[in-house]
Every structure is written in C-alpha cells, then in structure tokens.
Amino acid sequence: MTDRTRFPTRLKGPGALVTGGSRGLGLFIARHLAERGCTVTLAARDAAELERAAGRLRAETGATVHVAVCDVRDRAAVGEMMRVIHERDGLDIVIANAGVIQVAPVEAIGHEEFTDAMETMFHGALHTSLEALPYLRATRGRLALIGSVGGLLGVPHLLPYSCAKAAVGALAEGLHAETAAAGVSVTAVHPGLMRTGSHRQAEFGGDTSAEFGWFSAAAGAPLLSMDADRAARRIVDAVIRRRARLVLTAPAKAAQLAHGVAPGLTTRLTGLTARLLPSASGRGPLRQGSEAGLPRNPIARRIRAWGSARNDRAVREANQQEPGPRTSS
C-alpha cells in the first residue's frame, strides 16, 4: 500500500471525524483523509475557525467537508455529534486529536492547568473513544488517539501536557487490546516535535517571553522537528493499515528507546536539560504565544528566529494565524 492509496470506491466515501481538526496537525490529517476519498467532519470549539478550515479543504480537495462545534470535554455533546455523523455519513474513521499546550515551569502553574490538560486531552480522547466505539464496531472501523513523545517520558516545562498524553497512550493501547476481536483497530500515535505553528496557540507561564522563545525554536528547528504535512500523511497511512503504534521523528524514537533501556539515566539527563530552561518568575495567568512576547536577550532572539523560521511559515497553512479557543495540538 503506497502513500497515495485510497479507500475502496463506494457511492459515498468513508465517514471520518477529526477532533481538534480546525487547525494544526488535525487540519493536516483531515486534508489527507479528504484526498483519499473520505467524507470528513472537523470538530472544534471555534465556529469561525472551523468554517475557515472547512472552506480551505473543500477548495483544495473537492471533498465533502462538514463541521461540528463541539467541546470534547462534554461527553453528552460528543455523543450527539457521533450520532449525527453516523446517521449522515456513516462513521468509519475517528481521530482523537484535540488538545492544549501549556509551557511553563511547575512553580508557575497549579492544579487547574493539570486539570485543564487532563480534561481536554485525556477525557476528550476518552469521550471520543467511548461514544465512537458502538458505531465503529458496526463498521469494523478505525480509531486513532494522538498522544505525543511527551507522553512517553516526562518533559520539563510541559508537565500537564506530558501527564495527559501519557494517559492517552495507555488508553490507546488498552483499547487496541480490547476491541481487536470486534474488528476495530486502535492506533496509538506519538509524534515528536512538528512544524504546525502551534507556538502561536500554546500558552506560556513564568517568564513568558523566554518560554515562548525556547519552545518555538525547538518546535521548528531542523533535525529536531518534522514537517506537519508529512507527519499527517504517515499518520493516515498507519490508520489505514491498522497499525497499533506509530512514533514519529528520529529524536522521538531515540528518546523512547533511551527511556525504555535506561529510564533512570534518561530521567537524570532530562533533569540536566531542565536546568537550561528559563526559571520561574512568579505565578500569573498563562498567555497565548501571540501575546507572550519575544525573548529580551538579542542572542536568544536570533536563536529563536533561526529555529522557528519554518514553524513561523507554517502558521497560515495550519490555520493558526488568529488566536481563538484552544482546540487542537
């Protein structure tokens, strides 16, 4: 099966849902599903952002693209969305991608940031999975949960994100084991850093300008990060092939291997890395990347500009140009 393989021809293409599909990785995944003949529904919280994304996909692919304004933290709302999609298009493929990114030292955040991350990413994936599975069992469908390399090991200054993504990974593996007999495949996806323009929508705490600087540089740096469109194509391939697990980027694979072979040493090395990150400057409300400001140090500014150049260029293509409610990774 090649990258361009399409689903078998039928009167109407398979029905696919992508949560967090209005921007970032979710939007790229939706594009590849549409190109392969799926009838795609994008789900997120921001109606205007959804319509902008759907209009772009319709123009680019000629596919049928629907939108669903839905907060995945609300199980009843997720259940109603699944019912509507099932009755309208059939439900063959579900990608649980909705998420938030909070970048800050643990001293600068509190219980509420961890709760927000868990409710959006873990409970969002859980609600999506539980409400989709009755329909996917009927169609022998495919489910994918988007985790992260951040869920395979604890990442300093991204602890709420890491905790939630670790739970998503465990959920995906458990569901894969329990639903295989019913013909449903569940794919656990663990991407590394990708150029999705997510630094514009991520939230930053502590020394916000310094946190924004290192995160945006790392997320776009050559060798460390991956082109988001290429990542999305690989994810869709893995879902079509019913793979159980996909880890993306060479650094993510290396981190997974190192943690598996020598977890204590890996944790100590991570601790050394944490010492290089900005120190906390008190607690306060988190600020979106578009408001966090640039690093004050001129050398740090140049490093950020170099590292983030490709990621900055991805902002418009990934529909990240206008801040709005947090809906996608």
Side-chain angles (χ1 to χ4, degrees):
M1 184 178 292
T2 67
D3 286 348
R4 303 304 300 168
T5 298
R6 299 172 67 88
F7 289 97
T9 301
R10 33 163 124 166
L11 292 178
K12 184 168 66 173
L17 166 68
V18 183
T19 69
S22 62
R23 62 174 182 247
L25 178 63
L27 179 58
F28 288 109
I29 290 172
R31 178 183 295 140
H32 281 281
L33 289 169
E35 287 176 347
R36 296 177 190 219
C38 291
T39 298
V40 179
T41 298
L42 309 178
R45 283 185 267 175
D46 187 320
E49 189 176 76
L50 278 168
E51 289 296 347
R52 187 167 62 242
R56 182 182 299 179
L57 288 188
R58 293 178 190 122
E60 292 172 349
T61 68
T64 299
V65 181
H66 302 289
V67 300
V69 178
C70 181
D71 186 341
V72 294
R73 298 173 299 180
D74 182 343
R75 183 172 177 181
V78 173
E80 177 62 15
M81 174 178 67
M82 296 295 179
R83 183 191 65 78
V84 169
I85 297 171
H86 167 71
E87 293 179 356
R88 184 187 62 212
D89 308 318
L91 197 58
D92 301 275
I93 300 170
V94 175
I95 314 288
N97 171 72
V100 295
I101 302 175
Q102 302 141 319
V103 186
V106 70
E107 307 97 296
I109 56 176
H111 182 271
E112 58 271 23
E113 283 77 22
F114 284 88
T115 299
D116 187 25
M118 290 297 294
E119 287 184 349
T120 302
M121 288 181 281
F122 174 64
H123 287 113
L126 177 64
H127 296 160
T128 299
S129 301
L130 294 180
E131 295 299 331
L133 279 173
Y135 304 114
L136 295 177
R137 288 189 180 99
T139 61
R140 300 178 68 83
R142 298 164 168 88
L143 172 67
L145 307 187
I146 307 299
S148 169
V149 64
L152 302 178
L153 66 164
V155 180
H157 291 220
L158 282 164
L159 279 184
Y161 183 84
S162 282
C163 290
K165 289 297 190 180
V168 169
L171 176 65
E173 291 183 9
L175 288 177
H176 177 85
E178 292 205 29
T179 62
V184 177
S185 60
V186 182
T187 303
V189 181
H190 299 286
L193 292 168
M194 295 173 295
R195 297 186 288 276
T196 64
S198 61
H199 60 296
R200 290 290 298 274
Q201 302 287 351
E203 293 189 321
F204 299 87
D207 185 343
T208 57
S209 61
E211 297 287 349
F212 176 77
W214 81 259
F215 179 81
S216 59
L223 302 181
L224 288 180
S225 65
M226 182 178 189
D227 175 75
D229 185 67
R230 180 167 165 257
R233 183 175 68 247
R234 299 231 359 231
I235 290 168
V236 172
D237 286 343
V239 173
I240 293 173
R241 296 173 181 174
R242 299 184 182 272
R243 288 183 57 180
R245 183 182 179 92
L246 175 68
V247 179
L248 291 171
T249 80
K253 292 177 181 178
Q256 174 189 228
L257 178 61
H259 191 269
V261 173
L265 176 60
T266 304
T267 300
R268 286 193 290 274
L269 291 174
T270 303
L272 293 176
T273 302
R275 298 182 186 184
L276 303 176
L277 296 176
S279 59
S281 59
R283 284 199 59 184
L286 300 185
R287 301 172 64 184
Q288 277 193 318
S290 56
E291 303 170 345
L294 295 174
R296 292 177 288 276
N297 185 296
I299 296 176
R301 278 179 179 248
R302 284 196 289 271
I303 293 174
R304 194 219 78 87
W306 170 80
S308 189
R310 294 184 181 185
N311 212 11
D312 290 336
R313 289 196 292 271
V315 166
R316 187 177 184 283
E317 185 180 4
N319 201 29
Q320 304 269 26
Q321 66 270 29
E322 295 181 14
R326 297 160 299 158
T327 53
S328 59
S329 303

